């Protein structure tokens, strides 16, 4: 191997980096609006069950595969099994990382663009939902605007990954995650102290069980997966920089708690403000870029809070994007003997280029459709609805049935002896969930998301 494998400087650094991967657009943009559309508290309750019974077990499995093999996803499967099929499963993960990053960065770029809009005070020119929506459409119709910020976001991502696991990702996460947390707390305080905030809290916390359908359960499950960055080896790659003295189940639990906490806080910050300013909570994906700018123009101090909010969104996206790029980089470093610097420069650039048609899907290429969907939608669908569930399914199957739980447990015990002695029941449930529940549930979500079951 060209370079000695890097490791995290501390377990805390790993937790922040992994939580940074998990906490992203999924928490701050997607979670609030799907919770809003699917019955508020009732949905949150189901989501928490999915996180605990499927998200956490698979997260532990991924980190474990990484730590045991000290490799990227392709190398990890290769080392433990070596059959071409399993190497290919690792390859699907690397491919998914490459694809997700390409379009994730486009949305993250809008977020940087919106920091600039907020600083310029532009939102005050569009004080109602209709005109704010038109303003958003006008911005994304401008190809240079979208590609420019997509490129800027890419450069930021590449800089962090360029400096390595400890000097780049860990150091960056140790700065960005606390800032993110502080900003979110400020926004929550602003939200709950607005007049009329209680309506937002009621919306979020009063369960409306009538809205829970089998479809909302599947949405909760799919999101539990996406929000924890599972199914493609991102957590495996981060786990591969861990050492044997770290307690994986405890670390995974901390990551899950942080991720869930941030999603819930984002929901509180957003819905208190949306209700206090009498805006429509159920607009779906447009909530952040079409509705919130109006919300900020109507609240005291909104100028500043708008800047903070889009900064928060950008930081969350950045710490996720670096984990996606790291998967691709780790593959080229481990398997192709490239240097990290070369992998970052070459694949950063190629992934940026793959993102360009996604960026153009909102303007120049808006009319070019494949099965009635733009390039952006196709990439999103391919990654989120196909590659991730397929990857997650095979990761569970691999650990539980191919590599085998007996071997897995020997590895899991390293760094967690106490847990095994005092809470053997937890380990037993982990085995059961991974062996039966997660593969079956993931398969159901997959069949549903590609339309084979309704
Ligand atoms: N978890 C991130 C979010 O909530 C998205 C993400 C980052 C991701 N890395 C991933 C999703 C890997 C799946 C796989 O926004």
């Amino acid at each position: 191997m060209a370079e000695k494998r890097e490791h995290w400087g501390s377990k805390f650094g790993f937790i922040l980096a992994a939580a940074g991967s998990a906490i992203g657009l999924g928490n701050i943009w997607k979670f609030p609006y799907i919770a809003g559309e699917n019955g508020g508290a009732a949905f949150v309750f189901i989501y928490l069950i999915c996180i605990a019974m499927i998200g956490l077990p698979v997260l532990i499995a991924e980190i474990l595969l990484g730590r045991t093999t000290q490799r990227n996803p392709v190398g990890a499967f290769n080392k433990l099994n070596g059959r071409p099929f399993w190497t290919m499963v690792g390859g699907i993960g690397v491919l998914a990382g490459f694809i997700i990053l390409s379009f994730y960065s486009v949305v993250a770029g809008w977020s940087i663009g919106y920091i600039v809009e907020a600083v310029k005070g532009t939102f005050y020119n569009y004080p109602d939902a209709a005109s704010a929506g038109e303003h958003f459409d006008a911005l994304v119709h401008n190809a240079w605007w979208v590609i420019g910020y997509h490129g800027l976001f890419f450069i930021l991502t590449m800089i962090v990954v360029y400096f390595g696991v400890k000097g780049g990702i860990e150091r960056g996460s140790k700065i960005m995650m606390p800032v993110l947390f502080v900003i979110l707390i400020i926004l929550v305080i602003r939200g709950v102290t607005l007049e009329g905030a209680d309506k937002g809290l009621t919306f979020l916390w009063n369960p409306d069980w009538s809205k829970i359908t089998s479809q909302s359960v599947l949405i909760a499950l799919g999101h539990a997966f996406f929000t924890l960055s599972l199914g493609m080896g991102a957590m495996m790659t981060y786990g591969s920089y861990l050492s044997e003295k770290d307690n994986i189940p405890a670390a995974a639990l901390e990551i899950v708690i942080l991720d869930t906490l941030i999603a819930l806080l984002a929901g509180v910050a957003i819905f208190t403000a949306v209700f206090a300013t009498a805006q429509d909570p159920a607009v779906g994906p447009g909530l952040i870029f079409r509705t919130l700018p109006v919300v900020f123009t109507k609240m005291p101090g909104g100028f500043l809070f708008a800047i903070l909010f889009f900064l928060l969104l950008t930081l969350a996206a950045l710490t996720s994007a670096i984990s996606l790029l790291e998967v691709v980089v780790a593959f080229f470093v481990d398997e192709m003997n490239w240097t990290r610097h070369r992998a970052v420069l070459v694949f950063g650039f190629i992934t940026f280029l793959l993102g360009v048609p996604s960026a153009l899907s909102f303007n120049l290429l808006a009319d070019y459709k494949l099965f009635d969907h733009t390039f952006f939608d196709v990439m999103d669908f391919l990654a989120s609805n196909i590659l991730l569930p397929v990857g997650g399914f095979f990761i569970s199957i691999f650990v539980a049935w191919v590599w085998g739980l007996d071997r897995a447990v020997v590895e899991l015990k390293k760094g967690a002896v106490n847990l095994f002695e005092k809470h053997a029941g937890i380990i037993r449930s982990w085995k059961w969930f991974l062996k039966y529940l997660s593969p079956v549930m993931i398969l159901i979500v997959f069949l549903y998301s590609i339309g084979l079951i309704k």
Side-chain angles (χ1 to χ4, degrees), residues 236-291:
M236 214 184 286
T237 306
Y238 273 13
S240 76
Y241 306 120
L242 272 179
S243 80
E244 296 193 338
K245 52 182 196 321
D246 292 312
N247 182 335
I248 293 180
L253 182 65
E254 286 168 48
I255 295 163
V256 164
I257 290 176
L258 283 173
D259 183 73
T260 308
L261 184 70
I262 299 287
L264 295 176
L265 288 176
V268 170
I270 290 172
F271 284 117
T272 48
V274 165
F275 275 87
T277 53
Q279 296 300 307
D280 182 2
V283 293
L287 187 64
I288 294 270
F289 293 104
R290 293 169 192 272
T291 309

Side-chain angles (χ1 to χ4, degrees), residues 18-30 62 96-97 100 104 223 225-235 259 316-317 319-324 327 384 388:
S21 168
I23 297 164
L25 298 173
N27 300 58
I28 296 170
W29 164 69
K30 196 165 179 198
E62 270 208 32
I100 296 176
Y104 199 80
H223 187 65
F225 226 70
F226 184 82
T227 191
L228 292 175
S229 303
L230 298 176
M232 51 144 298
M235 291 299 184
D259 183 73
T319 50
S320 296
I322 59 182
S323 77
L324 289 162
V327 175
S384 314
L388 291 185

